[in-house]
Amino acid sequence: MEFRYYQMSAGSPILALLGQKWVQNYGNDVDYLHFHNYLEIGYCYGGNGHMVLGEEEERFYGGIVTVIPPNYPHTTNSDIGTVSKWEYLFIDVEGFMKKFLDNPVKAEKVIQRIYSRALFFEEKENLSISEKIRKIMDIMRDGEEFFLEEAKGVLAALLVEIARLNRGSGEDKVAEDAGKLTNMITRVLDYVSYHYMEDIKVEDLANICHISETHFRRVFTSYMKMSPLEYINTVRVYTACELLETTDAPVADIAHKCGFTTNSTFNRNFKQQMGVTPLEWRKRPESYEQQLLRFNIHSEKGW
């Protein structure tokens, strides 16, 4: 299996596997499940075989489109003696949406919708999404002036459309209670973004919402899929990442500026979220942004 990589600049939300060397022949000897850390979008130009998506198995052929969330087990196998032709996009959805949308609550909602399920459909079944996928692939392959900016514009429309497609049948587009909850959470997130360097207590956040601390913890965790303290530390760690990459300040000073009272607490939270220590991050910050194909079950040769 051979691919030509079109590696974008650091921080780009898109990595594409495109070009003349995108012919792959899996055969039946490659039947292991694997998953990626980024959203995988695939387009099949030709060939036949079967794809395993979690516990489901589907037959693929030319014109099939796949959208597979991060950490979703899957594999693709061509029929014996045949060759399948695919192109892929790997998308840093979280990094992109959090920059594209100025409302962190809305960004999180879009991200969760996109990650809610894997999609497998014929191109003609959803021409709007299929055309945007093909458009991004063409833009990335051609590499014309301002191509990355153009691709990001189409990508924004694509991700929003996928989020709409994944809306649950029971969800109301406009719900008064949901709106009140969103506004409440937004106030809290705004407060954390301005005061993360201070000693924030969960009780303070509950007071902002005019509810009890117990009720606030339950509501926040249900909405954000993490506890208030986890969110605060996430904001602090991501801010530390930027300071480690863009300044020469000592690690201890950065820890203090980001609201961590001790170096040990900073190091523990940083490694838990980023997988490396602050010093390791400073030495190779690009490794986290560019390792878009990090397999957790099996690493294919050449990937």
Side-chain angles (χ1 to χ4, degrees), residues 98-99 189-198 200 230-260 266 269-270 273-274 278 281-282 285 288-289:
K98 288 177 180 178
K99 290 182 180 179
L189 301 189
D190 286 344
Y191 181 87
V192 172
S193 69
Y194 285 107
H195 298 275
Y196 63 86
M197 70 294 295
E198 301 171 10
I200 301 176
E230 287 173 332
Y231 179 78
I232 294 169
N233 285 333
T234 295
V235 172
R236 289 169 171 168
V237 167
Y238 285 0
T239 303
C241 286
E242 183 176 356
L243 293 175
L244 287 166
E245 186 173 354
T246 59
T247 75
D248 294 324
V251 172
D253 290 352
I254 290 176
H256 180 72
K257 288 180 180 178
C258 293
F260 290 102
F266 174 54
N269 280 276
F270 193 98
Q273 292 192 43
M274 309 311 294
W281 171 270
R282 169 166 272 172
Y288 178 78
E289 298 169 349

Side-chain angles (χ1 to χ4, degrees), residues 60-73:
F60 74 79
Y61 39 85
I64 286 294
V65 177
T66 61
V67 181
I68 304 175
N71 303 320
Y72 197 100

Side-chain angles (χ1 to χ4, degrees), residues 60-93:
F60 74 79
Y61 39 85
I64 286 294
V65 177
T66 61
V67 181
I68 304 175
N71 303 320
Y72 197 100
H74 63 283
T75 190
T76 308
N77 292 296
S78 299
D79 290 339
I80 296 176
T82 66
V83 173
S84 59
K85 300 179 181 179
W86 291 76
E87 284 188 333
Y88 293 94
L89 298 172
F90 290 86
I91 311 298
D92 177 8
V93 176

Side-chain angles (χ1 to χ4, degrees), residues 156-195:
L158 170 64
L159 294 178
V160 168
E161 189 164 354
I162 292 173
R164 287 202 195 105
L165 180 64
N166 286 349
R167 182 173 56 229
S169 58
E171 291 186 65
D172 279 332
K173 293 183 180 179
V174 179
E176 183 177 352
D177 290 343
K180 291 179 180 177
L181 177 59
T182 296
N183 291 335
M184 183 181 73
I185 298 297
T186 298
R187 290 199 304 271
V188 171
L189 301 189
D190 286 344
Y191 181 87
V192 172
S193 69
Y194 285 107
H195 298 275

